[in-house]
Amino acid sequence: TTNRSVEDIRRDFPILSRQVHGKRLVFLDSAASSQKPAVVIEALDQYYRTYNANVHRGVYEISEEATEAVERARLKIARFIHARQSKQVIFTRNTTESINLVAYSWGGEHIQQGDLIVLTEMEHHSNLVPWQLLAQRTGARLEFVPVNEEGLLRLDVYEQLLQQKPKLVAFAHMSNVLGTINPVKEMVAQAHAVGAITLVDGAQSVPHMTVDVQDLDADFYCFSGHKMLGPTGIGVLYGKRPLLESMTPFMGGGSMIRTVKLHESTWADLPHKFEAGTPAIAEAIGLGVAVDYLNELGMEWVRQHEKALTAYALKRLSAIPGLTIYGPKDVEQRGGVLSFTLDGVHPHDLASILDMEVGVAVRAGHHCAQPLMDRYNIPATARASFYVYNDERDVDTLAEGLQKAQEIFQATAGL
Ligand code: PMP
């Protein structure tokens, strides 16, 4: 793990030296999309400048270089999540596409009328809507594990739902709203004990902690490159080999076939079977470089750093009167995502004031988790999220901004 200071790490991220509204940019929205280190930006530039060519086709030098670079990136990503083989890493556009791929390919073959799919109340829309669509197509049923007041899953209800023998259980490793880290390994084992297939949405976990897909034993595991220092437009579906091999592809086209006749075709081997068309070449290479960068910091360090920062933020922000923080208070049970509301200030106004007054970028809204907002009876929250380039100074600026917002609103309320 690294012994570099955050101040030093920040210098790797060109965007962090810019200003917004004449103030230092304090970027606290990495849960939506992270910033990129110069090495990632340079990898994209170098690909387009020096070996830009389509992959898996050309027999000429630069095409071979591009192909090798993409396959090297796949191997790095496979190692990063401790997959047994790199062919279990399917490149997609993002978490959303990975989940849809499973819902169409696996779901289309295995889910029938009356079958049960178990999800949770804390899912991002991308791990909810694809299953709603599948349920509508097939007549399957959806049931949800509720979230308690503290933001933890009701595992007692989960166990009851498992007794109804679901075909599939899908849930987030870490909530993008509450920060809750779910007990994936135990939940997967319990699901397997009743014969269910499991899909884990790792969009918020892979960027922030060590993930070992073999140890967790999930059948499918999905994540996005852009939240882990990589480019947009590249994501991953990891799957167990027998499952991936038995599935019919989601999309047809070039690159995913072995033979094509006018009326029928046969499929290429994994992973190409699921990668129809020209892939996101530069982006895959860039994600490989992002993984190198994270490995250099060390994922243990990343997790420890965010835990310490979250503990500091929980302490600092809970001293602000009228501020409500959602999700677990114990940093062992949560990641660096803090959703909050401030009495008398709408989250959107709050986010605007933070931007204008102190240069703090936070998200405001339902965070693509409308059912979770309904659960807490709130229309929206503001959300601050941390990553490797954030430090206590950022949290202090956030706290200052919140106090300022309160003053502004109290002043106008008194008019
Ligand atoms: N799941 C979770 C938990 C997320 O936080 C996000 C991104 N906000 C997604 C899925 C969707 O990721 P993407 O938009 O990259 O597909």
Side-chain angles (χ1 to χ4, degrees):
T1 70
T2 192
N3 50 19
R4 294 176 66 191
S5 66
V6 173
E7 203 184 324
D8 185 32
I9 291 169
R10 287 176 66 85
R11 282 193 278 272
D12 294 337
F13 294 80
I15 204 168
L16 297 181
S17 61
R18 72 161 280 178
Q19 298 202 323
V20 291
H21 307 294
K23 292 165 189 74
R24 183 178 84 96
L25 168 64
V26 177
F27 188 74
L28 295 179
D29 196 19
S30 296
S33 200
S34 73
Q35 296 303 342
K36 324 298 175 196
V39 282
V40 168
I41 300 166
E42 283 155 14
L44 305 183
D45 183 79
Q46 201 197 0
Y47 162 71
Y48 286 119
R49 279 180 196 277
T50 65
Y51 60 105
N52 170 55
N54 210 330
V55 291
H56 304 302
R57 280 163 223 184
V59 289
Y60 49 91
E61 180 156 308
I62 59 171
S63 168
E64 282 170 1
E65 281 176 25
T67 305
E68 256 170 48
V70 168
E71 293 311 315
R72 235 184 355 258
R74 194 191 306 275
L75 185 60
K76 285 179 198 175
I77 294 158
R79 288 192 179 136
F80 188 65
I81 59 167
H82 302 87
R84 201 184 297 271
Q85 291 178 308
S86 65
K87 64 173 73 165
Q88 294 174 279
V89 167
I90 316 278
F91 283 132
T92 60
R93 275 192 307 141
N94 46 37
T95 306
T96 304
E97 187 176 299
S98 300
I99 296 170
N100 277 277
L101 193 164
V102 175
Y104 276 87
S105 275
W106 182 87
E109 275 165 56
H110 294 94
I111 297 292
Q112 285 159 7
Q113 177 149 22
D115 283 349
L116 175 62
I117 297 172
V118 170
L119 309 170
T120 87
E121 264 179 11
M122 66 166 74
E123 296 316 306
H124 187 281
H125 295 165
S126 80
N127 197 26
L128 173 57
V129 182
W131 307 118
Q132 292 175 345
L133 289 167
L134 177 64
Q136 282 160 15
R137 283 196 301 274
T138 59
R141 283 187 307 129
L142 304 178
E143 292 282 357
F144 297 87
V145 183
V147 173
N148 71 15
E149 206 51 35
E150 204 197 340
L152 300 172
L153 289 178
R154 288 277 308 274
L155 296 174
D156 55 326
V157 179
Y158 178 57
E159 282 166 28
Q160 285 164 15
L161 288 170
L162 289 181
Q163 282 164 17
Q164 298 181 38
K165 299 247 182 305
K167 282 276 169 63
L168 176 88
V169 171
F171 57 92
H173 194 154
M174 173 172 145
S175 161
N176 66 311
V177 178
L178 304 167
T180 314
I181 298 172
N182 292 316
V184 173
K185 191 173 172 176
E186 292 74 13
M187 289 175 71
V188 166
Q190 287 174 307
H192 285 166
V194 298
I197 290 292
T198 52
L199 178 141
V200 176
D201 170 355
Q204 296 295 344
S205 44
V206 173
H208 303 284
M209 62 184 84
T210 303
V211 168
D212 181 333
V213 290
Q214 290 188 67
D215 181 53
L216 296 174
D217 203 31
D219 298 293
F220 297 106
Y221 198 100
C222 310
F223 56 101
S224 298
H226 68 95
K227 294 181 198 280
M228 52 187 287
L229 311 180
T232 52
I234 187 81
V236 169
L237 168 65
Y238 157 88
K240 285 190 182 165
R241 244 183 90 177
L243 280 169
L244 292 175
E245 274 168 355
S246 72
M247 280 156 57
T248 304
F250 167 44
M251 280 200 281
S255 301
M256 51 73 74
I257 49 80
R258 186 189 306 280
T259 59
V260 177
K261 297 269 172 28
L262 280 178
H263 290 282
E264 59 190 15
S265 301
T266 58
W267 318 132
D269 287 335
L270 293 176
H272 306 293
K273 180 170 104 176
F274 293 108
E275 295 181 356
T278 299
I281 302 167
E283 290 79 1
I285 296 167
L287 180 55
V289 174
V291 162
D292 290 340
Y293 186 91
L294 286 170
N295 279 331
E296 262 168 53
L297 294 179
M299 291 311 290
E300 290 299 317
W301 179 86
V302 173
R303 173 75 181 123
Q304 288 309 320
H305 169 70
E306 291 177 18
K307 243 202 244 182
L309 202 52
T310 304
Y312 179 75
L314 284 169
K315 198 173 90 207
R316 189 83 167 73
L317 298 191
S318 52
I320 299 173
L323 192 95
T324 306
I325 301 174
Y326 296 86
K329 298 290 174 287
D330 176 2
V331 291
E332 297 300 329
Q333 290 180 311
R334 69 171 305 140
V337 170
L338 283 188
S339 281
F340 51 86
T341 51
L342 187 60
D343 285 352
V345 189
H346 190 281
H348 283 113
D349 294 331
L350 191 54
S352 297
I353 293 172
L354 289 172
D355 174 50
M356 298 285 288
E357 296 288 327
V358 288
V360 170
V362 297
R363 188 79 145 197
H366 53 64
H367 315 290
C368 301
Q370 283 183 14
L372 191 61
M373 299 292 110
D374 294 342
R375 156 69 182 83
Y376 285 99
N377 265 315
I378 44 175
T381 69
R383 181 188 72 185
S385 51
F386 309 128
Y387 211 2
V388 298
Y389 35 69
N390 294 117
D391 57 14
E392 293 188 355
R393 188 163 66 130
D394 294 343
V395 175
D396 291 340
T397 311
L398 170 66
E400 262 166 53
L402 291 171
Q403 266 147 358
K404 231 173 223 175
Q406 220 161 24
E407 283 158 23
I408 291 170
F409 269 79
Q410 273 158 8
T412 41
L415 280 182

